[in-house]
Amino acid sequence: MTRTLALNARSLLFAGCALLLMSSSVSPLDRDGIDALYQAVDDAVSRYQLGLDEIRNGELGSGHARIRDAVADLGMATDACSRKPGCETEWFMAAYHDLLTLRSAMLTETDEDPVGGEPEHVLEPEPLVEYDEDPAGPRVDVGLASVWFDGTGLSKTIEHNSLVRGALNDWLTWKRPTLVDTYENYMHMRHLMWPYYEEAGIPEALLFGILAKESGGRVHSVSRAGAAGPLQFMFYTGLRFGLTTEDGFDQRFDPAASARASVGYLRARFAEHDGDLALALAAYNGGETRVLRLAREASVASFWNPEIFGRLPRETQEYVPYVLAAALLFERPEDYGVEFPAVNTAPGQIDLQAPITLSELGVCLGQGDSRSGWFRALRNLNPRHEHDVPLPAGSTVRLPAPVVSAYAEHCVAGPRLDLAKALYDAREQRRILLAVRTYTVRSGDTLSTIAAEQGCPSMRAIADANGIPGPRYLIRPGQQLELHGCRI
């Protein structure tokens, strides 16, 4: 049902685009080219859906390949649209959001990777900008730069008001596990992300604060709004700051590339707001156009000014204090009784001697000195690789230096490797066992309510599996239905 509604919405949007083009000055030849781009988008979405279906059915190789090709084609079509007068880039943004929504649904039902639950912001779209310089740009030279350069950090620039103190309370109580997990995740990626902030003169504490609030340091996080990666870029905003699709890989998931883009984005916001840190963060979360307009209209351009604060979304009102509070805790943990775990940040790598998945490595490497094992670090340091797809022999895998020796000891041969492979193989057996179950129809049930309550792919999927004809899809109390691929 959801898929049908989505397709109907696409049809309506196509019709709207066609009417707009017919009434514009776009030539017939250009109209044909734009229509072809729109069709390419719809084809990419369909192929992406097919790839997800293949993965659900255990066809991992072909499924991932189909998804990579679909994303790459969508990226090329988006780039072509941005350079073609009369082509509506919003259509491509909506399509890419559809793909992320589909991926999020699959991750939820296959337990691959947690999907970011907190970030909901949608950075407002602006035209693509062609940069002649590095998107990360030179060192910050506005506003707070002189404070940052003198070594005192952020603590003297952050207003310790009730909102920040309330956020500190949350980080130090029920959000403390997230804070500590973020720290550990970040330290393993520090060599990839921090150099861009350091070169630009932006405090490391700010990078940590954004990371803690956005994703908890989980590289593959995707919000329900479609923001993706460790620093949660929307697709279109990421494009503006150099995060493209490369060989089918969305660079928003790359910790180094996303940090570089984040520096570029923050520099632009600092320039707009005369170095005001809180307003720059508000723009990061609540939309740069909205915040800039509010700042220009207010008597005093300050995030804390009720003329601005009171007109921002609740999420943005909470977002800025949370980021600032996490930054304070990173910069001065001893002032708040925080003890972050000791983490060896030295990077390492191995060349695989035999095919293996990142999931299997996460088992055979053991736990060592890590609080929670090495799977998250493996995922974060190797964002281009799916965790459940075997990597061929000779592949280079990045991992923390302290665990390099464990690979030769436990992951080339021996009982721990055997255990890892046996547990990995059990996933397929579990998938088969959980793929089909029986549901007894109750009074008042419809296929639609059953699909929603049981987490099934669609009403039509239940009907097809049980030979229930449309269009009425009648069922009766006591009837036994086979449910395929339902999550509950």
Side-chain angles (χ1 to χ4, degrees), residues 19 49 78 93 160 182 188 230 289 315 327 387 451 484 487:
L19 289 173
Q49 175 70 64
T78 303
M93 294 167 59
H160 289 59
T182 301
H188 288 309
T289 304
E315 182 197 338
H387 74 99
H484 295 254
R487 297 191 299 273

Side-chain angles (χ1 to χ4, degrees), residues 13 38 41 45 74 77-79 81 87-101 122-128 225-227 234-240 252:
L13 184 52
Y38 292 150
V41 172
V45 172
L74 179 56
T78 303
D79 181 64
C81 177
C87 187
E88 294 189 349
T89 52
E90 290 81 1
W91 164 249
F92 294 80
M93 294 167 59
Y96 205 91
H97 179 263
D98 282 351
L99 301 194
L100 289 172
T101 301
V122 179
L123 296 176
E124 298 174 20
E126 291 185 0
L128 281 169
M234 295 298 291
F235 175 68
Y236 195 68
T237 305
L239 280 180
R240 290 168 48 208
R252 291 180 298 167

Side-chain angles (χ1 to χ4, degrees), residues 414-429:
R416 201 180 288 177
L417 175 64
D418 295 338
L419 172 65
K421 290 190 173 299
L423 294 178
Y424 179 78
D425 291 341
R427 287 167 50 97
E428 176 62 17
Q429 300 169 16

Side-chain angles (χ1 to χ4, degrees), residues 325-409:
L328 286 173
L329 293 172
F330 179 85
E331 192 171 89
R332 304 182 68 88
E334 66 281 356
D335 290 353
Y336 301 93
V338 173
E339 295 184 18
F340 287 119
V343 179
N344 186 333
T345 62
Q349 65 180 46
I350 55 174
D351 293 326
L352 298 180
Q353 297 185 32
I356 196 169
T357 65
L358 293 181
S359 291
E360 291 167 308
L361 283 173
V363 175
C364 66
L365 289 175
Q367 188 165 334
D369 295 329
S370 170
R371 295 182 312 118
S372 53
W374 304 107
F375 178 73
R376 176 58 52 196
L378 288 168
R379 291 284 281 146
N380 285 352
L381 294 174
N382 301 276
R384 293 174 179 266
H385 300 317
E386 299 291 344
H387 74 99
D388 56 355
V389 176
L391 301 174
S395 299
T396 297
V397 173
R398 295 189 295 187
L399 72 176
V403 79
V404 168
S405 60
Y407 171 72
E409 184 176 357

Side-chain angles (χ1 to χ4, degrees), residues 280-335:
L281 291 174
Y284 194 103
N285 175 264
E288 59 215 58
T289 304
R290 169 194 287 156
V291 173
L292 184 59
R293 182 182 68 252
L294 293 177
R296 288 172 175 172
E297 294 173 353
S299 58
V300 177
S302 168
F303 172 77
W304 314 108
N305 182 351
E307 297 174 25
I308 296 177
F309 184 85
R311 297 170 64 186
L312 290 170
R314 174 66 177 273
E315 182 197 338
T316 305
Q317 292 175 340
E318 295 179 343
Y319 175 87
V320 174
Y322 269 125
V323 171
L324 296 177
L328 286 173
L329 293 172
F330 179 85
E331 192 171 89
R332 304 182 68 88
E334 66 281 356
D335 290 353

Side-chain angles (χ1 to χ4, degrees), residues 116-119 171 175-186 189 193 197 204-218 221 229-232 284 319 321-330 340:
E118 291 184 0
W171 282 123
K175 289 177 71 69
R176 188 186 287 252
T178 299
L179 183 79
V180 176
D181 285 345
T182 301
Y183 181 87
E184 191 167 37
N185 291 337
Y186 168 63
M189 300 186 290
M193 305 183 78
Y197 272 65
E204 184 174 18
L206 182 59
L207 169 59
F208 176 81
I210 296 173
L211 192 71
K213 184 64 179 78
E214 293 287 8
S215 69
R218 295 171 298 168
S221 291
L231 298 174
Q232 294 289 283
Y284 194 103
Y319 175 87
Y322 269 125
V323 171
L324 296 177
L328 286 173
L329 293 172
F330 179 85
F340 287 119

